[in-house]
Amino acid sequence: MRVLFTTWAPGAHLVPMVPLARALLGAGHQVRVAVPSGCAAAVARAGLVPVRICALPPAVVRAPEAARRPRGIWPADWPVRPAALTPEQHGVLRALGDRQVRIAEAMAQGLVAFARCWQPELVVHDASAYAGTVAAGALGVPAVGQLWGSAAVLRVDRQRLEGPPLPGYARLMRRYGADPEREPDLWLDPCPPSLALPSRARRLPVRFVPYDGPSPWETPSPYEARRALTRPVRPAAASNGRRGPGGPGAPGPVRVCAAWDDAGGPPDAVRAALRAAEARGVEVVRVGSAAERRPPAGPLHRVLPGCRALLHQGAGAAVLAAAMAGVPQLVVAPRLEQQLNGARLARAGAGTYLPAAALDGTRRGAGAAGARLALDLFALLEQPSYAAAAHALRREALGMPGPDEAAGAVTRLVGPAI
């Protein structure tokens, strides 16, 4: 069977699809990954065959300003309570949907042309690659949507979350002879059930499986990765005589991971919180902060098992990596999806959460916000309930079906002859 995968971005969009693609290859199926030219190298490094279908201009990809740092307070379960959102908040969601429609428009011609030539029997696309549904509809084959670990709404191409498709998306579907109301036949969801929101969509839980290829964070040399995991860790009782988190007799080294994938590194308040932790004898391992003076420690899923907490922005891949490691999480989230992930973690008791907009950018404000973050971080280290909830989340995540079961499920969509 031929299976066509597609996404519009590497990193957190590509990574969740790699285990399924490899499982299908192992079962004897043919796999191609159709992507914009900027993603082709990442696909090849993952051991898959890329097909370049277009180039995505930066102006098309750039997220709307209102979505990068949303204003106001959003309900913790906003995807399932659209009536609770203000007109301004619905406008933010529409802007996000319009952006994904623009990306789909840029991809659709090349994707559909290749699909008609190669004739796949199944299309698998990442949740935000709407062009995948367009191609499946144009060919009349099943479509599978791959989620990346967020509890967020499956798609924002519909007005008010539950209304008709956005006009641009409906026009795009009709242009290629597809039904605008069509949705993926199945969603693959790596989000542990206790973090997920209810949905009427047909979902298959699939265990998150990290791999050592390109990740959402820069991966250093093997030497740097080994160095981060094996260098001596200062004990909880620091050299200045003060006890580290956990108090006297706290078992094991106290190591915290800080993962930040913004080019500029974490904001000042986060840096201040990490300095406060180091002053109390905590070892801080940094992952993906290109602006930091020290080199990053590299693949997150390999660093986390030696850590007692993770401080990050709330991206789905990081949430899942920490869930698989049983590590409590402190989320400082700028974007809507990340804020939702943080809120769900806090609800499950496996972490705490703060919107990035709550951090004051001034020097004085950064110090106060950093002190607040430091208190939250120390709470994760000192209060046993967070570790207990994180371990419960790990057991839940490990109990989900793996990629081989997902491969069997998606092939059955095509028919009993496969």
Side-chain angles (χ1 to χ4, degrees):
M1 183 175 75
R2 293 187 179 95
V3 184
L4 179 59
F5 284 70
T6 188
T7 184
W8 62 273
H13 293 265
L14 172 65
V15 166
M17 297 197 297
V18 171
L20 174 61
R22 290 178 172 175
L24 288 166
L25 285 170
H29 302 290
Q30 299 180 56
V31 171
R32 297 292 184 271
V33 186
V35 290
S37 54
C39 304
V43 173
R45 288 196 297 271
L48 304 172
V49 179
V51 178
R52 295 175 174 84
I53 55 171
C54 69
L56 285 180
V60 172
V61 175
R62 185 175 176 81
E65 184 64 36
R68 289 199 298 272
R69 192 62 72 90
R71 298 186 303 175
I73 298 174
W74 288 62
D77 56 349
W78 61 263
V80 296
R81 287 204 303 134
L85 298 181
T86 67
E88 180 183 6
Q89 290 168 335
H90 279 290
V92 171
L93 296 179
R94 175 161 186 151
L96 282 170
D98 285 338
R99 176 227 192 182
Q100 297 309 137
V101 169
R102 291 194 300 271
I103 292 172
E105 289 172 340
M107 293 176 60
Q109 182 175 357
L111 180 63
V112 172
F114 173 74
R116 285 173 172 164
C117 176
W118 195 56
Q119 288 293 304
E121 293 145 281
L122 177 69
V123 175
V124 181
H125 60 87
D126 95 70
S128 62
Y130 300 168
T133 315
V134 175
L139 270 67
V141 300
V144 174
Q146 172 71 64
L147 292 159
W148 53 80
S150 170
V153 63
L154 299 179
R155 294 167 57 129
V156 290
D157 61 312
R158 297 179 176 274
Q159 298 179 32
R160 295 188 176 274
L161 302 179
E162 296 179 346
L166 292 170
Y169 179 75
R171 287 193 299 269
L172 182 63
M173 291 288 277
R174 293 191 187 100
R175 186 184 308 164
Y176 292 96
D179 180 3
E181 296 291 338
R182 177 175 180 175
E183 288 291 307
D185 299 271
L186 178 67
W187 292 96
L188 302 180
D189 189 0
C191 186
S194 63
L195 299 184
L197 287 165
S199 172
R200 292 191 297 270
R202 183 184 177 191
R203 296 194 194 191
L204 175 67
V206 179
R207 185 172 66 250
F208 175 72
V209 179
Y211 76 103
D212 285 331
S215 73
W217 300 275
E218 289 295 322
T219 302
S221 67
Y223 166 77
E224 288 295 344
R226 289 195 301 270
R227 179 174 177 268
L229 292 173
T230 60
R231 63 176 178 257
V233 179
R234 286 178 292 178
S239 58
N240 59 13
R242 287 176 293 181
R243 294 285 182 180
V254 180
R255 178 183 283 145
V256 167
C257 179
W260 224 262
D261 56 357
D262 283 352
D268 290 343
V270 172
R271 295 175 193 267
L274 295 176
R275 287 194 298 269
E278 289 177 319
R280 289 184 57 178
V282 174
E283 176 81 7
V284 175
V285 180
R286 289 166 171 80
V287 175
S289 299
E292 295 282 351
R293 294 181 180 178
R294 284 170 282 186
L300 184 63
H301 66 277
R302 292 196 175 276
V303 174
L304 281 173
C307 295
R308 299 259 297 273
L310 170 66
L311 193 162
H312 65 116
Q313 293 160 287
V319 169
L320 293 181
M324 293 292 289
V327 174
Q329 305 177 48
L330 170 53
V331 172
V332 182
R335 299 202 305 267
L336 275 179
E337 174 195 327
Q338 296 166 339
Q339 292 179 15
L340 185 60
N341 288 340
R344 300 300 291 177
L345 279 167
R347 182 179 181 274
T352 58
Y353 146 71
L354 182 71
L359 303 179
D360 193 320
T362 66
R363 184 178 299 272
R364 180 179 177 184
R372 174 183 174 182
L373 287 178
L375 290 175
D376 286 344
L377 183 58
F378 295 146
L380 293 185
L381 299 174
E382 295 169 350
Q383 296 180 17
S385 62
Y386 289 111
H391 284 295
L393 189 61
R394 180 176 186 269
R395 290 191 296 270
E396 188 177 272
L398 288 173
M400 297 168 70
D404 289 340
E405 289 114 316
V410 300
T411 56
R412 285 192 292 272
L413 292 174
V414 179
I418 298 302

mmCIF file with all atom_site columns, all heavy atoms in Angstrom, residues 237-262:
data_model
loop_
_atom_site.group_PDB
_atom_site.id
_atom_site.type_symbol
_atom_site.label_atom_id
_atom_site.label_alt_id
_atom_site.label_comp_id
_atom_site.label_asym_id
_atom_site.label_entity_id
_atom_site.label_seq_id
_atom_site.pdbx_PDB_ins_code
_atom_site.Cartn_x
_atom_site.Cartn_y
_atom_site.Cartn_z
_atom_site.occupancy
_atom_site.B_iso_or_equiv
_atom_site.pdbx_formal_charge
_atom_site.auth_seq_id
_atom_site.auth_comp_id
_atom_site.auth_asym_id
_atom_site.auth_atom_id
_atom_site.pdbx_PDB_model_num
ATOM 1   N N   . ALA A 1 237 ? 22.766 20.188 49.414 1.00 0.00 ? 237 ALA A N   1
ATOM 2   C CA  . ALA A 1 237 ? 23.386 21.118 50.351 1.00 0.00 ? 237 ALA A CA  1
ATOM 3   C C   . ALA A 1 237 ? 24.494 21.851 49.634 1.00 0.00 ? 237 ALA A C   1
ATOM 4   O O   . ALA A 1 237 ? 25.553 21.311 49.361 1.00 0.00 ? 237 ALA A O   1
ATOM 5   C CB  . ALA A 1 237 ? 23.955 20.356 51.544 1.00 0.00 ? 237 ALA A CB  1
ATOM 6   N N   . ALA A 1 238 ? 24.246 23.101 49.236 1.00 0.00 ? 238 ALA A N   1
ATOM 7   C CA  . ALA A 1 238 ? 25.203 23.853 48.442 1.00 0.00 ? 238 ALA A CA  1
ATOM 8   C C   . ALA A 1 238 ? 26.388 24.268 49.294 1.00 0.00 ? 238 ALA A C   1
ATOM 9   O O   . ALA A 1 238 ? 26.377 24.202 50.517 1.00 0.00 ? 238 ALA A O   1
ATOM 10  C CB  . ALA A 1 238 ? 24.524 25.092 47.848 1.00 0.00 ? 238 ALA A CB  1
ATOM 11  N N   . SER A 1 239 ? 27.459 24.762 48.589 1.00 0.00 ? 239 SER A N   1
ATOM 12  C CA  . SER A 1 239 ? 28.694 25.106 49.282 1.00 0.00 ? 239 SER A CA  1
ATOM 13  C C   . SER A 1 239 ? 28.532 26.271 50.236 1.00 0.00 ? 239 SER A C   1
ATOM 14  O O   . SER A 1 239 ? 29.331 26.473 51.129 1.00 0.00 ? 239 SER A O   1
ATOM 15  C CB  . SER A 1 239 ? 29.774 25.441 48.246 1.00 0.00 ? 239 SER A CB  1
ATOM 16  O OG  . SER A 1 239 ? 29.352 26.511 47.426 1.00 0.00 ? 239 SER A OG  1
ATOM 17  N N   . ASN A 1 240 ? 27.461 27.063 50.050 1.00 0.00 ? 240 ASN A N   1
ATOM 18  C CA  . ASN A 1 240 ? 27.255 28.194 50.951 1.00 0.00 ? 240 ASN A CA  1
ATOM 19  C C   . ASN A 1 240 ? 26.537 27.798 52.239 1.00 0.00 ? 240 ASN A C   1
ATOM 20  O O   . ASN A 1 240 ? 26.188 28.653 53.057 1.00 0.00 ? 240 ASN A O   1
ATOM 21  C CB  . ASN A 1 240 ? 26.477 29.316 50.238 1.00 0.00 ? 240 ASN A CB  1
ATOM 22  C CG  . ASN A 1 240 ? 25.123 28.846 49.749 1.00 0.00 ? 240 ASN A CG  1
ATOM 23  O OD1 . ASN A 1 240 ? 24.645 27.780 50.136 1.00 0.00 ? 240 ASN A OD1 1
ATOM 24  N ND2 . ASN A 1 240 ? 24.505 29.637 48.887 1.00 0.00 ? 240 ASN A ND2 1
ATOM 25  N N   . GLY A 1 241 ? 26.298 26.510 52.384 1.00 0.00 ? 241 GLY A N   1
ATOM 26  C CA  . GLY A 1 241 ? 25.700 26.034 53.636 1.00 0.00 ? 241 GLY A CA  1
ATOM 27  C C   . GLY A 1 241 ? 24.203 25.945 53.619 1.00 0.00 ? 241 GLY A C   1
ATOM 28  O O   . GLY A 1 241 ? 23.613 25.369 54.514 1.00 0.00 ? 241 GLY A O   1
ATOM 29  N N   . ARG A 1 242 ? 23.564 26.502 52.555 1.00 0.00 ? 242 ARG A N   1
ATOM 30  C CA  . ARG A 1 242 ? 22.100 26.433 52.507 1.00 0.00 ? 242 ARG A CA  1
ATOM 31  C C   . ARG A 1 242 ? 21.667 25.128 51.867 1.00 0.00 ? 242 ARG A C   1
ATOM 32  O O   . ARG A 1 242 ? 22.295 24.616 50.956 1.00 0.00 ? 242 ARG A O   1
ATOM 33  C CB  . ARG A 1 242 ? 21.547 27.621 51.696 1.00 0.00 ? 242 ARG A CB  1
ATOM 34  C CG  . ARG A 1 242 ? 21.646 28.934 52.454 1.00 0.00 ? 242 ARG A CG  1
ATOM 35  C CD  . ARG A 1 242 ? 21.191 30.088 51.592 1.00 0.00 ? 242 ARG A CD  1
ATOM 36  N NE  . ARG A 1 242 ? 22.111 30.300 50.483 1.00 0.00 ? 242 ARG A NE  1
ATOM 37  C CZ  . ARG A 1 242 ? 21.962 31.277 49.578 1.00 0.00 ? 242 ARG A CZ  1
ATOM 38  N NH1 . ARG A 1 242 ? 20.946 32.093 49.672 1.00 0.00 ? 242 ARG A NH1 1
ATOM 39  N NH2 . ARG A 1 242 ? 22.831 31.429 48.615 1.00 0.00 ? 242 ARG A NH2 1
ATOM 40  N N   . ARG A 1 243 ? 20.555 24.615 52.337 1.00 0.00 ? 243 ARG A N   1
ATOM 41  C CA  . ARG A 1 243 ? 20.036 23.367 51.812 1.00 0.00 ? 243 ARG A CA  1
ATOM 42  C C   . ARG A 1 243 ? 19.323 23.607 50.486 1.00 0.00 ? 243 ARG A C   1
ATOM 43  O O   . ARG A 1 243 ? 18.649 24.609 50.298 1.00 0.00 ? 243 ARG A O   1
ATOM 44  C CB  . ARG A 1 243 ? 19.051 22.745 52.806 1.00 0.00 ? 243 ARG A CB  1
ATOM 45  C CG  . ARG A 1 243 ? 19.727 22.318 54.112 1.00 0.00 ? 243 ARG A CG  1
ATOM 46  C CD  . ARG A 1 243 ? 20.541 21.047 53.883 1.00 0.00 ? 243 ARG A CD  1
ATOM 47  N NE  . ARG A 1 243 ? 21.151 20.600 55.126 1.00 0.00 ? 243 ARG A NE  1
ATOM 48  C CZ  . ARG A 1 243 ? 21.910 19.530 55.220 1.00 0.00 ? 243 ARG A CZ  1
ATOM 49  N NH1 . ARG A 1 243 ? 22.198 18.824 54.142 1.00 0.00 ? 243 ARG A NH1 1
ATOM 50  N NH2 . ARG A 1 243 ? 22.412 19.173 56.384 1.00 0.00 ? 243 ARG A NH2 1
ATOM 51  N N   . GLY A 1 244 ? 19.470 22.667 49.582 1.00 0.00 ? 244 GLY A N   1
ATOM 52  C CA  . GLY A 1 244 ? 18.740 22.744 48.331 1.00 0.00 ? 244 GLY A CA  1
ATOM 53  C C   . GLY A 1 244 ? 17.310 22.287 48.523 1.00 0.00 ? 244 GLY A C   1
ATOM 54  O O   . GLY A 1 244 ? 16.905 21.869 49.607 1.00 0.00 ? 244 GLY A O   1
ATOM 55  N N   . PRO A 1 245 ? 16.473 22.359 47.444 1.00 0.00 ? 245 PRO A N   1
ATOM 56  C CA  . PRO A 1 245 ? 15.088 21.923 47.531 1.00 0.00 ? 245 PRO A CA  1
ATOM 57  C C   . PRO A 1 245 ? 15.006 20.480 47.984 1.00 0.00 ? 245 PRO A C   1
ATOM 58  O O   . PRO A 1 245 ? 15.789 19.627 47.592 1.00 0.00 ? 245 PRO A O   1
ATOM 59  C CB  . PRO A 1 245 ? 14.592 22.073 46.083 1.00 0.00 ? 245 PRO A CB  1
ATOM 60  C CG  . PRO A 1 245 ? 15.477 23.124 45.505 1.00 0.00 ? 245 PRO A CG  1
ATOM 61  C CD  . PRO A 1 245 ? 16.824 22.899 46.138 1.00 0.00 ? 245 PRO A CD  1
ATOM 62  N N   . GLY A 1 246 ? 14.056 20.194 48.799 1.00 0.00 ? 246 GLY A N   1
ATOM 63  C CA  . GLY A 1 246 ? 13.885 18.866 49.344 1.00 0.00 ? 246 GLY A CA  1
ATOM 64  C C   . GLY A 1 246 ? 14.341 18.778 50.783 1.00 0.00 ? 246 GLY A C   1
ATOM 65  O O   . GLY A 1 246 ? 13.957 17.882 51.518 1.00 0.00 ? 246 GLY A O   1
ATOM 66  N N   . GLY A 1 247 ? 15.173 19.725 51.222 1.00 0.00 ? 247 GLY A N   1
ATOM 67  C CA  . GLY A 1 247 ? 15.571 19.771 52.624 1.00 0.00 ? 247 GLY A CA  1
ATOM 68  C C   . GLY A 1 247 ? 16.630 18.752 52.943 1.00 0.00 ? 247 GLY A C   1
ATOM 69  O O   . GLY A 1 247 ? 17.100 17.999 52.097 1.00 0.00 ? 247 GLY A O   1
ATOM 70  N N   . PRO A 1 248 ? 17.049 18.694 54.209 1.00 0.00 ? 248 PRO A N   1
ATOM 71  C CA  . PRO A 1 248 ? 18.074 17.747 54.631 1.00 0.00 ? 248 PRO A CA  1
ATOM 72  C C   . PRO A 1 248 ? 17.642 16.310 54.352 1.00 0.00 ? 248 PRO A C   1
ATOM 73  O O   . PRO A 1 248 ? 16.492 15.933 54.578 1.00 0.00 ? 248 PRO A O   1
ATOM 74  C CB  . PRO A 1 248 ? 18.213 18.018 56.133 1.00 0.00 ? 248 PRO A CB  1
ATOM 75  C CG  . PRO A 1 248 ? 17.662 19.396 56.330 1.00 0.00 ? 248 PRO A CG  1
ATOM 76  C CD  . PRO A 1 248 ? 16.579 19.553 55.311 1.00 0.00 ? 248 PRO A CD  1
ATOM 77  N N   . GLY A 1 249 ? 18.564 15.533 53.816 1.00 0.00 ? 249 GLY A N   1
ATOM 78  C CA  . GLY A 1 249 ? 18.275 14.127 53.562 1.00 0.00 ? 249 GLY A CA  1
ATOM 79  C C   . GLY A 1 249 ? 17.482 13.876 52.296 1.00 0.00 ? 249 GLY A C   1
ATOM 80  O O   . GLY A 1 249 ? 17.057 12.745 52.067 1.00 0.00 ? 249 GLY A O   1
ATOM 81  N N   . ALA A 1 250 ? 17.264 14.915 51.442 1.00 0.00 ? 250 ALA A N   1
ATOM 82  C CA  . ALA A 1 250 ? 16.535 14.686 50.204 1.00 0.00 ? 250 ALA A CA  1
ATOM 83  C C   . ALA A 1 250 ? 17.321 13.720 49.323 1.00 0.00 ? 250 ALA A C   1
ATOM 84  O O   . ALA A 1 250 ? 18.502 13.913 49.103 1.00 0.00 ? 250 ALA A O   1
ATOM 85  C CB  . ALA A 1 250 ? 16.327 16.015 49.464 1.00 0.00 ? 250 ALA A CB  1
ATOM 86  N N   . PRO A 1 251 ? 16.703 12.649 48.802 1.00 0.00 ? 251 PRO A N   1
ATOM 87  C CA  . PRO A 1 251 ? 17.443 11.616 48.073 1.00 0.00 ? 251 PRO A CA  1
ATOM 88  C C   . PRO A 1 251 ? 17.868 12.094 46.693 1.00 0.00 ? 251 PRO A C   1
ATOM 89  O O   . PRO A 1 251 ? 17.123 12.763 45.993 1.00 0.00 ? 251 PRO A O   1
ATOM 90  C CB  . PRO A 1 251 ? 16.427 10.470 47.969 1.00 0.00 ? 251 PRO A CB  1
ATOM 91  C CG  . PRO A 1 251 ? 15.094 11.147 47.999 1.00 0.00 ? 251 PRO A CG  1
ATOM 92  C CD  . PRO A 1 251 ? 15.264 12.329 48.907 1.00 0.00 ? 251 PRO A CD  1
ATOM 93  N N   . GLY A 1 252 ? 19.088 11.702 46.264 1.00 0.00 ? 252 GLY A N   1
ATOM 94  C CA  . GLY A 1 252 ? 19.535 11.905 44.898 1.00 0.00 ? 252 GLY A CA  1
ATOM 95  C C   . GLY A 1 252 ? 19.887 13.338 44.586 1.00 0.00 ? 252 GLY A C   1
ATOM 96  O O   . GLY A 1 252 ? 19.603 14.267 45.343 1.00 0.00 ? 252 GLY A O   1
ATOM 97  N N   . PRO A 1 253 ? 20.529 13.526 43.421 1.00 0.00 ? 253 PRO A N   1
ATOM 98  C CA  . PRO A 1 253 ? 20.882 14.871 42.976 1.00 0.00 ? 253 PRO A CA  1
ATOM 99  C C   . PRO A 1 253 ? 19.636 15.659 42.593 1.00 0.00 ? 253 PRO A C   1
ATOM 100 O O   . PRO A 1 253 ? 18.614 15.090 42.207 1.00 0.00 ? 253 PRO A O   1
ATOM 101 C CB  . PRO A 1 253 ? 21.768 14.609 41.757 1.00 0.00 ? 253 PRO A CB  1
ATOM 102 C CG  . PRO A 1 253 ? 21.311 13.283 41.252 1.00 0.00 ? 253 PRO A CG  1
ATOM 103 C CD  . PRO A 1 253 ? 20.938 12.489 42.471 1.00 0.00 ? 253 PRO A CD  1
ATOM 104 N N   . VAL A 1 254 ? 19.714 16.960 42.700 1.00 0.00 ? 254 VAL A N   1
ATOM 105 C CA  . VAL A 1 254 ? 18.601 17.835 42.332 1.00 0.00 ? 254 VAL A CA  1
ATOM 106 C C   . VAL A 1 254 ? 18.964 18.492 41.009 1.00 0.00 ? 254 VAL A C   1
ATOM 107 O O   . VAL A 1 254 ? 19.796 19.395 40.965 1.00 0.00 ? 254 VAL A O   1
ATOM 108 C CB  . VAL A 1 254 ? 18.336 18.897 43.419 1.00 0.00 ? 254 VAL A CB  1
ATOM 109 C CG1 . VAL A 1 254 ? 17.179 19.795 43.001 1.00 0.00 ? 254 VAL A CG1 1
ATOM 110 C CG2 . VAL A 1 254 ? 18.025 18.222 44.740 1.00 0.00 ? 254 VAL A CG2 1
ATOM 111 N N   . ARG A 1 255 ? 18.349 18.012 39.951 1.00 0.00 ? 255 ARG A N   1
ATOM 112 C CA  . ARG A 1 255 ? 18.629 18.531 38.617 1.00 0.00 ? 255 ARG A CA  1
ATOM 113 C C   . ARG A 1 255 ? 17.318 18.975 37.978 1.00 0.00 ? 255 ARG A C   1
ATOM 114 O O   . ARG A 1 255 ? 16.325 18.254 38.015 1.00 0.00 ? 255 ARG A O   1
ATOM 115 C CB  . ARG A 1 255 ? 19.317 17.463 37.769 1.00 0.00 ? 255 ARG A CB  1
ATOM 116 C CG  . ARG A 1 255 ? 19.602 17.904 36.337 1.00 0.00 ? 255 ARG A CG  1
ATOM 117 C CD  . ARG A 1 255 ? 20.224 16.766 35.528 1.00 0.00 ? 255 ARG A CD  1
ATOM 118 N NE  . ARG A 1 255 ? 21.620 16.599 35.856 1.00 0.00 ? 255 ARG A NE  1
ATOM 119 C CZ  . ARG A 1 255 ? 22.244 15.426 35.899 1.00 0.00 ? 255 ARG A CZ  1
ATOM 120 N NH1 . ARG A 1 255 ? 21.558 14.318 35.697 1.00 0.00 ? 255 ARG A NH1 1
ATOM 121 N NH2 . ARG A 1 255 ? 23.534 15.360 36.164 1.00 0.00 ? 255 ARG A NH2 1
ATOM 122 N N   . VAL A 1 256 ? 17.317 20.160 37.372 1.00 0.00 ? 256 VAL A N   1
ATOM 123 C CA  . VAL A 1 256 ? 16.149 20.716 36.694 1.00 0.00 ? 256 VAL A CA  1
ATOM 124 C C   . VAL A 1 256 ? 16.525 20.975 35.237 1.00 0.00 ? 256 VAL A C   1
ATOM 125 O O   . VAL A 1 256 ? 17.625 21.455 34.944 1.00 0.00 ? 256 VAL A O   1
ATOM 126 C CB  . VAL A 1 256 ? 15.687 22.028 37.368 1.00 0.00 ? 256 VAL A CB  1
ATOM 127 C CG1 . VAL A 1 256 ? 14.688 22.772 36.491 1.00 0.00 ? 256 VAL A CG1 1
ATOM 128 C CG2 . VAL A 1 256 ? 15.072 21.724 38.728 1.00 0.00 ? 256 VAL A CG2 1
ATOM 129 N N   . CYS A 1 257 ? 15.629 20.660 34.338 1.00 0.00 ? 257 CYS A N   1
ATOM 130 C CA  . CYS A 1 257 ? 15.838 20.933 32.914 1.00 0.00 ? 257 CYS A CA  1
ATOM 131 C C   . CYS A 1 257 ? 15.046 22.177 32.525 1.00 0.00 ? 257 CYS A C   1
ATOM 132 O O   . CYS A 1 257 ? 13.879 22.330 32.903 1.00 0.00 ? 257 CYS A O   1
ATOM 133 C CB  . CYS A 1 257 ? 15.387 19.747 32.071 1.00 0.00 ? 257 CYS A CB  1
ATOM 134 S SG  . CYS A 1 257 ? 15.592 19.997 30.292 1.00 0.00 ? 257 CYS A SG  1
ATOM 135 N N   . ALA A 1 258 ? 15.704 23.070 31.768 1.00 0.00 ? 258 ALA A N   1
ATOM 136 C CA  . ALA A 1 258 ? 15.039 24.246 31.206 1.00 0.00 ? 258 ALA A CA  1
ATOM 137 C C   . ALA A 1 258 ? 15.103 24.141 29.686 1.00 0.00 ? 258 ALA A C   1
ATOM 138 O O   . ALA A 1 258 ? 16.188 24.164 29.106 1.00 0.00 ? 258 ALA A O   1
ATOM 139 C CB  . ALA A 1 258 ? 15.712 25.523 31.682 1.00 0.00 ? 258 ALA A CB  1
ATOM 140 N N   . ALA A 1 259 ? 13.965 23.979 29.035 1.00 0.00 ? 259 ALA A N   1
ATOM 141 C CA  . ALA A 1 259 ? 13.904 23.812 27.585 1.00 0.00 ? 259 ALA A CA  1
ATOM 142 C C   . ALA A 1 259 ? 13.227 25.023 26.968 1.00 0.00 ? 259 ALA A C   1
ATOM 143 O O   . ALA A 1 259 ? 12.071 25.319 27.284 1.00 0.00 ? 259 ALA A O   1
ATOM 144 C CB  . ALA A 1 259 ? 13.144 22.537 27.234 1.00 0.00 ? 259 ALA A CB  1
ATOM 145 N N   . TRP A 1 260 ? 13.953 25.698 26.111 1.00 0.00 ? 260 TRP A N   1
ATOM 146 C CA  . TRP A 1 260 ? 13.399 26.898 25.471 1.00 0.00 ? 260 TRP A CA  1
ATOM 147 C C   . TRP A 1 260 ? 13.761 26.884 24.002 1.00 0.00 ? 260 TRP A C   1
ATOM 148 O O   . TRP A 1 260 ? 14.939 26.786 23.647 1.00 0.00 ? 260 TRP A O   1
ATOM 149 C CB  . TRP A 1 260 ? 13.953 28.162 26.135 1.00 0.00 ? 260 TRP A CB  1
ATOM 150 C CG  . TRP A 1 260 ? 12.886 29.171 26.384 1.00 0.00 ? 260 TRP A CG  1
ATOM 151 C CD1 . TRP A 1 260 ? 12.568 30.258 25.635 1.00 0.00 ? 260 TRP A CD1 1
ATOM 152 C CD2 . TRP A 1 260 ? 11.958 29.153 27.463 1.00 0.00 ? 260 TRP A CD2 1
ATOM 153 N NE1 . TRP A 1 260 ? 11.494 30.912 26.164 1.00 0.00 ? 260 TRP A NE1 1
ATOM 154 C CE2 . TRP A 1 260 ? 11.097 30.260 27.304 1.00 0.00 ? 260 TRP A CE2 1
ATOM 155 C CE3 . TRP A 1 260 ? 11.765 28.309 28.549 1.00 0.00 ? 260 TRP A CE3 1
ATOM 156 C CZ2 . TRP A 1 260 ? 10.076 30.548 28.187 1.00 0.00 ? 260 TRP A CZ2 1
ATOM 157 C CZ3 . TRP A 1 260 ? 10.743 28.577 29.435 1.00 0.00 ? 260 TRP A CZ3 1
ATOM 158 C CH2 . TRP A 1 260 ? 9.912  29.698 29.247 1.00 0.00 ? 260 TRP A CH2 1
ATOM 159 N N   . ASP A 1 261 ? 12.762 26.968 23.111 1.00 0.00 ? 261 ASP A N   1
ATOM 160 C CA  . ASP A 1 261 ? 13.063 26.865 21.689 1.00 0.00 ? 261 ASP A CA  1
ATOM 161 C C   . ASP A 1 261 ? 12.981 28.195 20.951 1.00 0.00 ? 261 ASP A C   1
ATOM 162 O O   . ASP A 1 261 ? 13.052 28.238 19.732 1.00 0.00 ? 261 ASP A O   1
ATOM 163 C CB  . ASP A 1 261 ? 12.156 25.829 21.013 1.00 0.00 ? 261 ASP A CB  1
ATOM 164 C CG  . ASP A 1 261 ? 10.676 26.110 21.213 1.00 0.00 ? 261 ASP A CG  1
ATOM 165 O OD1 . ASP A 1 261 ? 10.334 27.073 21.911 1.00 0.00 ? 261 ASP A OD1 1
ATOM 166 O OD2 . ASP A 1 261 ? 9.857  25.354 20.663 1.00 0.00 ? 261 ASP A OD2 1
ATOM 167 N N   . ASP A 1 262 ? 12.839 29.311 21.647 1.00 0.00 ? 262 ASP A N   1
ATOM 168 C CA  . ASP A 1 262 ? 12.912 30.623 21.012 1.00 0.00 ? 262 ASP A CA  1
ATOM 169 C C   . ASP A 1 262 ? 14.360 30.981 20.742 1.00 0.00 ? 262 ASP A C   1
ATOM 170 O O   . ASP A 1 262 ? 15.249 30.688 21.549 1.00 0.00 ? 262 ASP A O   1
ATOM 171 C CB  . ASP A 1 262 ? 12.288 31.699 21.903 1.00 0.00 ? 262 ASP A CB  1
ATOM 172 C CG  . ASP A 1 262 ? 10.768 31.645 21.862 1.00 0.00 ? 262 ASP A CG  1
ATOM 173 O OD1 . ASP A 1 262 ? 10.235 30.890 21.031 1.00 0.00 ? 262 ASP A OD1 1
ATOM 174 O OD2 . ASP A 1 262 ? 10.120 32.340 22.662 1.00 0.00 ? 262 ASP A OD2 1
#
